[in-house]
Amino acid sequence: MKSMIRKAVLTASLLGASLLAASQAFAGGIDDLKAFVAQVHSARGDFVQHQISANKGGASATQALKAAGTQSGNFVFARPGKFIWAYTKPYDQLLQADGENFYVYDKDLNQVTERKLGNALGASPAAILFGSNDLDKSYALRDVGVKDGIDWLELTPKSQGTQFQQIGIGFRDGTLAAMELHDVFGNVTLLTFTNVVKNPTLPADTFKFTPPKGADVIHG
């Protein structure tokens, strides 16, 4: 009898472990996003951005992608509201926030625009990556399945005043892999992320912004 009980307990334990593993293996994009927001307090990595204009003249998706403007760079963030989003190709531009102020630096113009961060992130895609936003309060979330090994979810803003109609976010093995932003004009921004490092150790002055020498500073 004791042997039978031990076997039953062992079988139940193995079954429970198998179910847990299965639930983790098949976790959807919503679970990945909520885990990302809750567990990833800071991160850094690289990105490539494709900007696709609204489809006109019946161009195919492939044609549209070939005609897309492409930019690339790197990012680092620490929640809430601290980030550096640096474009390095084809030209240099810096978007940076220190938790209180938001800066945009155009290297070619040697010009800095500064304004209070305040609620600037709001329900924007930046709030998902860099803020401490209550996602369910700002968005309706829906899993949309796996494509090319990436778990995708769709976010629809609940507010009618945002510039984005729909946001897609993709995770691969729990790591942020891609975003797809659809604005109210029909334009699409595609972002792919690589070399993402979660919760790195960051120097205290990482997000301190000092205007470059001779730069014009515009307070907006």
Side-chain angles (χ1 to χ4, degrees):
M1 179 63 71
K2 290 183 179 180
S3 177
M4 292 176 63
I5 292 175
R6 281 198 296 269
K7 288 181 179 179
V9 170
L10 178 59
T11 301
S13 298
L14 291 173
L15 178 60
S18 298
L19 291 173
L20 177 60
S23 67
Q24 291 173 339
F26 292 100
I30 292 177
D31 291 332
D32 286 334
L33 177 60
K34 290 187 175 181
F36 177 79
V37 171
Q39 299 170 12
V40 180
H41 308 296
S42 61
R44 64 170 180 253
D46 302 317
F47 69 87
V48 175
Q49 175 177 317
H50 297 286
Q51 189 74 38
I52 304 174
S53 298
N55 193 348
K56 297 179 180 179
S60 68
T62 301
Q63 290 171 327
L65 185 57
K66 287 181 178 179
T70 301
Q71 299 167 273
S72 60
N74 53 75
F75 71 91
V76 58
F77 75 83
R79 301 180 191 275
K82 296 180 180 180
F83 62 86
I84 298 172
W85 186 270
Y87 293 97
T88 57
K89 293 180 180 180
Y91 54 81
D92 291 333
Q93 187 180 46
L94 180 70
L95 285 69
Q96 184 165 336
D98 59 11
E100 295 183 1
N101 299 301
F102 176 63
Y103 307 90
V104 178
Y105 172 57
D106 189 309
K107 184 176 181 180
D108 290 340
L109 298 176
N110 199 23
Q111 183 181 86
V112 176
T113 301
E114 175 187 350
R115 65 174 182 268
K116 287 293 182 182
L117 186 62
N119 294 320
L121 293 181
S124 70
I128 299 168
L129 297 180
F130 312 132
S132 55
N133 202 29
D134 184 345
L135 296 175
D136 292 314
K137 182 178 180 180
S138 299
Y139 301 95
L141 281 63
R142 183 172 71 92
D143 278 319
V144 293
V146 179
K147 181 179 179 181
D148 297 327
I150 296 177
D151 285 310
W152 284 93
L153 71 151
E154 177 184 282
L155 296 85
T156 303
K158 293 181 179 180
S159 171
Q160 299 299 313
T162 63
Q163 70 181 99
F164 293 98
Q165 289 185 326
Q166 184 178 299
I167 302 165
I169 302 180
F171 291 86
R172 180 182 283 113
D173 299 325
T175 298
L176 180 68
M179 291 185 75
E180 186 175 292
L181 315 174
H182 297 254
D183 71 18
V184 296
F185 303 106
N187 302 309
V188 180
T189 301
L190 303 175
L191 289 161
T192 55
F193 301 95
T194 56
N195 304 317
V196 176
V197 178
K198 301 176 184 178
N199 298 319
T201 299
L202 301 173
D205 61 350
T206 295
F207 303 99
K208 180 180 178 181
F209 182 82
T210 302
K213 184 177 180 180
D216 293 325
V217 179
I218 301 171
H219 298 276

